[in-house]
């Protein structure tokens, strides 16, 4: 017998069912509809975010990729490129065995090439992998105004070749080691006036700024003697503006929505003043050369790069207009200031941490330059004899190269890297840091060892693209020899003048603490220097 047939319960149950259908069901249905719609919308948003933002496009999903959330985390925490490379990129190649992987970058998903063999193709096939051009909507950003003009770094094809034809002879002729030596004397005088621990990374940034100003276009920033000079303050503000992660990764904040950030407008104003200064310098330099008023007594290798580029026009080698010259000078700052300062700072750090290597390098400097109790300015010929110091520089650039990757390229046709299909139109980059730190490429890759670069050493046995701090191929950094000469002069003169070590309470005692999104440098590198004379 069913429960409803029980006369005792039949009426109350019927009444309860009527009440449930009449009052409860309609309310539940309405509420459930709202819940259902909300859940559907939420799930749709989650799906769209997951499929369209957090995941690569479908045609790239066969390639291992790093979560976009990790990129956001790095931006929010201001994680340095050094720390992120160790935390994320090196495990991809040394533990997960991924020498090709994807990352969501500033201009979209980009393929990282982290092995020498595939890197070779990107470096050597410049027509298949030209430089990626900035988007039109990013034209009014600080980085675009400073770096995105018609210059040798960003152009492709015939226009790039024109710039290269003008810049190449200038860089081959310009090797102002005497000027580097005199500026090092100025820095040593400042160091001698300082007591106790010296923030050498700050001094070297000021030194390289003065060097690029003098060597680039014969302009004095007065950066070495006066850390509060007008131009060093202005340039440092611009430099900090270029490094600001929120504007770098979200360029529309720096153009369309700049009105929301009053401080950003001030950076743009400082940059406008700086660019106007370059305009004036170029105009005056052209006028002086036209009327024969520039300094003719200097040897070719001691002339500034702007003079040499303008003279190339007079000699029939072709020329650049004022806008092109200005844009090229800006690139000299990018390629010749922070990069060399960072490399020198790291070299000083590793010599402080390895007293035996420091002493061996000092003995070479003394053998070449003598041990008289006075500053000696190296000659071009003497810098070429500094074999061991050169090994130190190369090993520093391997383990702490200023650039962690190359500027993005775009694949103009379908390609294949390490068995993975790379569709036409894909952004690609060579992850220099990952290759130069990989245990698959270098033995004990995280140990500083200049002997790798001695004749017949490890560097001569690894693949040719295993060491590429300046890139490689036709688009290799045009200032490589310029920077290497700067570093040889500075290190040789410091080694003759001082011995140095890391203070016991330094944050760098157990390894360099690094900052920087793109160009790496030790943060406030404190060193104890002891004068030898």
């Amino acid at each position: 017998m069913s429960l409803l047939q029980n006369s005792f319960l039949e009426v109350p149950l019927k009444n309860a069912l009527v009440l449930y259908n009449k009052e409860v069901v309609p309310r539940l249905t309405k509420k459930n509809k709202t819940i259902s719609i909300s859940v559907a919308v939420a799930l749709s948003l989650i799906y769209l975010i997951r499929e369209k933002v957090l995941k690569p496009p479908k045609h790239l999903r066969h390639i291992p990729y790093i979560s976009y959330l990790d990129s956001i985390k790095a931006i929010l925490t201001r994680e340095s490129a050094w720390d992120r490379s160790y935390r994320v990129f090196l495990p991809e190649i040394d533990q997960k065995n991924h020498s090709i992987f994807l990352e969501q970058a500033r201009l979209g998903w980009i393929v990282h090439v982290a092995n020498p063999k595939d890197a070779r193709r990107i470096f050597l096939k410049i027509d298949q992998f030209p430089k990626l051009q900035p988007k039109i909507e990013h034209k009014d950003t600080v980085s675009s105004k400073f770096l995105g003009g018609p210059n040798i770094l960003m152009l492709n094809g015939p226009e790039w070749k024109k710039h290269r034809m003008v810049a190449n002879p200038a860089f081959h002729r310009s090797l102002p080691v005497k000027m580097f030596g005199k500026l090092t004397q100025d820095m040593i005088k400042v160091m001698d006036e300082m007591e106790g621990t010296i923030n050498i990374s700050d001094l070297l940034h000021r030194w390289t700024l003065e060097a690029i100003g003098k060597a680039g276009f014969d302009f004095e920033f007065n950066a070495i003697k006066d850390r509060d000079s007008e131009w060093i303050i202005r340039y440092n503000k611009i430099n900090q503006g270029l490094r600001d992660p929120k504007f770098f990764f979200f360029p529309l904040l720096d153009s369309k929505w700049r009105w929301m950030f009053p401080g950003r407008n001030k950076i743009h104003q400082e940059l406008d003043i700086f660019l106007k200064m370059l305009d004036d310098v170029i105009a005056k330099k052209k006028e002086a050369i036209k009327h024969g008023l520039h300094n003719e007594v200097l040897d070719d290798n001691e002339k500034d790069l702007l003079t040499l580029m303008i003279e190339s026009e007079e000699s029939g080698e072709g020329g650049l207009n004022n806008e092109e010259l200005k844009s090229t000078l800006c690139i000299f700052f990018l390629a010749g200031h922070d990069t060399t300062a960072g490399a020198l700072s790291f070299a000083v750090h590793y010599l402080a941490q390895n007293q035996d290597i420091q002493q061996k390098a000092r003995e070479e400097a003394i053998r070449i330059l003598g041990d008289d109790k006075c500053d000696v300015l190296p000659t071009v010929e003497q810098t070429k004899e500094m074999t061991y110091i050169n090994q130190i520089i190369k090993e520093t650039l391997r383990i702490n190269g200023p650039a962690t990757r190359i500027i993005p390229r775009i694949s103009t046709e379908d390609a294949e890297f390490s068995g993975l299909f790379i569709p036409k139109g894909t952004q690609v980059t060579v992850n220099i840091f990952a290759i130069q730190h990989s245990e698959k490429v270098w033995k004990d890759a995280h140990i500083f060892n200049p002997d790798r670069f001695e004749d017949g050493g490890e560097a001569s046995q690894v693949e040719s693209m295993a060491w590429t701090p300046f890139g490689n191929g036709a688009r290799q950094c045009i200032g490589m020899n310029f920077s290497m000469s700067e570093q040889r002069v500075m290190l040789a003169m410091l080694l003759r003048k001082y011995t140095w070590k890391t203070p016991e309470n330094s944050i760098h005692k157990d390894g360099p603490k690094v900052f920087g999104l793109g160009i790496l440098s030790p943060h406030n590198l404190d060193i104890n220097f002891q004068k030898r004379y």
Side-chain angles (χ1 to χ4, degrees), residues 166 173 285-292 294 296 306-320:
V166 173
R173 291 162 65 189
K285 181 74 71 173
K286 281 193 167 185
E287 192 69 16
I289 292 175
K290 181 180 178 181
H291 293 93
H294 63 304
E296 293 282 5
L306 178 60
T307 293
L308 291 171
M309 287 191 293
I310 295 174
E311 285 181 346
S312 72
E313 182 177 5
E314 301 295 322
S315 65
E317 295 177 8
L320 304 178

Side-chain angles (χ1 to χ4, degrees), residues 130-166:
K131 294 286 181 76
L132 179 68
Q133 298 302 298
K135 296 181 179 179
I136 297 297
E137 58 266 33
H138 299 167
K139 289 290 186 183
D140 198 31
T141 63
V142 165
S143 60
S144 182
K145 286 167 66 175
F146 190 73
L147 306 172
N151 58 63
I152 193 171
L153 181 69
M154 299 305 300
L155 291 171
N156 292 307
E159 284 298 309
W160 167 75
K161 291 178 181 177
K162 181 185 82 169
H163 280 70
R164 187 82 180 190
M165 286 179 63
V166 173

Side-chain angles (χ1 to χ4, degrees), residues 351-352 354-362 495 498-500:
L351 291 176
N354 298 274
Q355 292 292 313
D356 55 334
I357 296 175
Q358 182 185 145
Q359 182 56 28
K360 185 176 178 180
R362 181 173 295 107
L495 286 161
Y498 304 101
T499 60
W500 63 86

Side-chain angles (χ1 to χ4, degrees), residues 171-172 174-175 177 180 470 476-488:
F171 269 94
H172 281 301
S174 177
L175 211 61
V177 295
F180 294 152
F470 296 96
Q476 184 178 58
C477 176
I478 198 171
M480 181 176 73
N481 291 333
F482 188 90
S483 175
M484 296 288 282
S485 293
E486 275 186 280
Q487 295 179 62
R488 284 191 287 266

Side-chain angles (χ1 to χ4, degrees), residues 126 154 280 284 363 381 399 496:
I126 61 173
M154 299 305 300
D280 293 341
K284 290 176 181 177
E363 290 169 1
E381 291 71 25
I399 201 168
R496 286 187 72 258

Side-chain angles (χ1 to χ4, degrees), residues 59-75:
H59 66 284
L60 295 176
R61 287 185 192 170
H62 59 288
I63 303 173
Y65 67 93
I66 295 166
S67 169
Y68 183 42
L69 293 178
D70 187 89
S71 300
I72 296 297
K73 173 188 173 183
I75 295 170

